[in-house]
Amino acid sequence: MAIVSHYGKARGLVNKLYPDALTAVQPKANWMGEKPLPGEIADMYASFGPVDLRLSYYPADLTVPQLRKLWGLQAGYAFDGATGELYANWPENWTVVGRAGDECIYVFNEEDGKVHQAKYKRLRWKSKPVWDSLGEYCVTVVALSKVCKELGPALVDADGKLTPDAADKALLELFELMGRDIDRAEGVLVRMGWLDEDED
C-alpha cells in the first residue's frame, strides 16, 4: 500500500470515528525540537496531520500530539523535562511518535525507517520493529482504535488483558486493512503484544 493511501486512509478513519478530532497540514517549520526533524515524520504531519489526537487504545488511550508539541512528547525519554538535559542512554536516532500510557511508547527509528515499540529494561532502552513505515503505523493504530472504541469496557478481562473476542476483532480489522493477508495481520499484532506468538 502506497504511503499516500496509508495517510489518506488514516485521516478518513479519524474523521469517521472521531468527528471532533482535528487533522491538518503542518509544515516542518512547526517542529520545536533540538535536533533535525526526520523527513519521514515531516511527511506524516504534512499528509496525515494529527492535531493532538487521543485515540481509544490498549493498554491506554493513544496520544499523538501536533507537530509543535512533538518535542514535548520526548520529555522523560530523550531528555529531562525539568532541566532539558539530554539523557545519554536514549538512542539519538529515535523519536517518540505516540504513547499509550507510560509502558507503551512507539518510536520512529531513523536507522531502518520503521516504527518500533520501545521499553526500558535493565537500565537501558530496547525496541522491536512493529511497522515497516510511519504510514503503516498511523493507519493501523487508528483502525485498532475502532475496535477499542466499539468494545469499550468489554475490551479487557478482569485482569486487564485483551479478551479473546477483542483479539479476534483486532485480527479481522487488520486482515481487511492489509489486503486480506492473515499472516501479515497476525504478525503485526504479535509484534505489538496483542496476540501471543504461539497462538493458533
Side-chain angles (χ1 to χ4, degrees), residues 61-99:
D61 286 356
L62 179 69
T63 56
V64 186
Q66 61 181 280
L67 184 54
R68 285 190 186 278
K69 297 179 181 178
L70 185 61
W71 181 248
L73 188 62
Q74 315 308 305
Y77 304 111
F79 65 90
D80 186 308
T83 67
E85 181 182 357
L86 296 174
Y87 291 136
N89 66 348
W90 180 258
E92 63 180 13
N93 58 341
W94 286 9
T95 304
V96 181
V97 290
R99 179 176 64 197

Side-chain angles (χ1 to χ4, degrees), residues 7-101:
Y7 289 136
K9 179 73 170 177
R11 191 169 55 251
L13 284 171
V14 166
N15 293 338
K16 182 178 180 180
L17 293 169
Y18 304 94
D20 294 330
L22 294 177
T23 57
V25 174
Q26 297 166 59
K28 61 183 180 181
N30 287 7
W31 170 241
M32 309 296 288
E34 296 183 11
K35 67 175 187 176
L37 180 68
E40 293 90 340
I41 295 180
D43 289 342
M44 183 183 90
Y45 279 93
S47 301
F48 175 33
V51 179
D52 301 335
L53 290 183
R54 188 178 184 89
L55 307 176
S56 296
Y57 203 69
Y58 173 80
D61 286 356
L62 179 69
T63 56
V64 186
Q66 61 181 280
L67 184 54
R68 285 190 186 278
K69 297 179 181 178
L70 185 61
W71 181 248
L73 188 62
Q74 315 308 305
Y77 304 111
F79 65 90
D80 186 308
T83 67
E85 181 182 357
L86 296 174
Y87 291 136
N89 66 348
W90 180 258
E92 63 180 13
N93 58 341
W94 286 9
T95 304
V96 181
V97 290
R99 179 176 64 197

